Amino acid sequence: MNKLVTYLRKNLDKAIIHRNKPYTITYLNQEGQYKTIKKENDLYKLCTCIMDDTSLIENNIITTFTYDIDNCCRYAWGFDTKSAIYYILNNIQNLNNTIVQVTYAGKQMYSLKNNVINEKELQNLKMQVQAYKEQVNIQKEIIKIYEEEQQRYEDLEENESR
């Protein structure tokens, strides 16, 4: 039987501003060995251990998903590592493994030693998410205005040619 493979895809607005920064999640596996997650696919798999695809959308971790039954794969669009890290930090007790440390963009967000989530960094993360949303909205407005101007120009050319 084939295994379902997930491919992460970027949305158009995510391609304009790439917000997924490097991160690491260090944890202890069932054998007591330290393991580190650094890839987006691994973070996505960790998130799917906690929630299903629709919950991923509700928590702004992905924007949408599709299944390709013929090729036995799933496409997740617009994966957001910031939102995924934030969700995992807030639901750390629901994981079967012990999280030792979480870093994002070179800053420590969580440490088992301190057993404290860095609230200042989480607040900064929330502000970055809000700023990103505002940037995307501004870009969408610019594109809309450009398309309207382009349509008016085409309409004028069409009227002049008659």
Side-chain angles (χ1 to χ4, degrees), residues 18-26 36-40 43 79-86 101-109 121 125 128:
H18 185 64
R19 39 186 307 212
N20 292 347
K21 304 267 191 265
Y23 72 92
T24 60
I25 297 177
T26 305
T36 302
I37 296 174
K38 293 182 179 182
K39 296 180 181 175
E40 288 180 357
L43 181 57
F79 181 69
D80 184 0
T81 56
K82 282 183 184 180
S83 297
I85 294 286
Y86 183 72
Q101 179 177 327
V102 177
T103 63
Y104 181 78
K107 297 179 182 172
Q108 183 170 311
M109 303 295 286
E121 290 301 324
L125 189 61
Q128 289 176 7

Side-chain angles (χ1 to χ4, degrees), residues 27-35 96-98:
Y27 66 96
L28 292 171
N29 66 6
Q30 285 79 7
E31 290 85 38
Q33 300 169 334
Y34 282 99
K35 298 288 181 179
N96 291 333
N97 294 327
T98 302

Side-chain angles (χ1 to χ4, degrees), residues 112-127:
L112 183 63
K113 182 179 177 182
N114 302 353
N115 203 15
V116 173
I117 296 174
N118 189 337
E119 292 296 329
K120 182 180 176 186
E121 290 301 324
L122 289 178
Q123 200 60 17
N124 185 25
L125 189 61
K126 284 181 185 178
M127 290 185 332

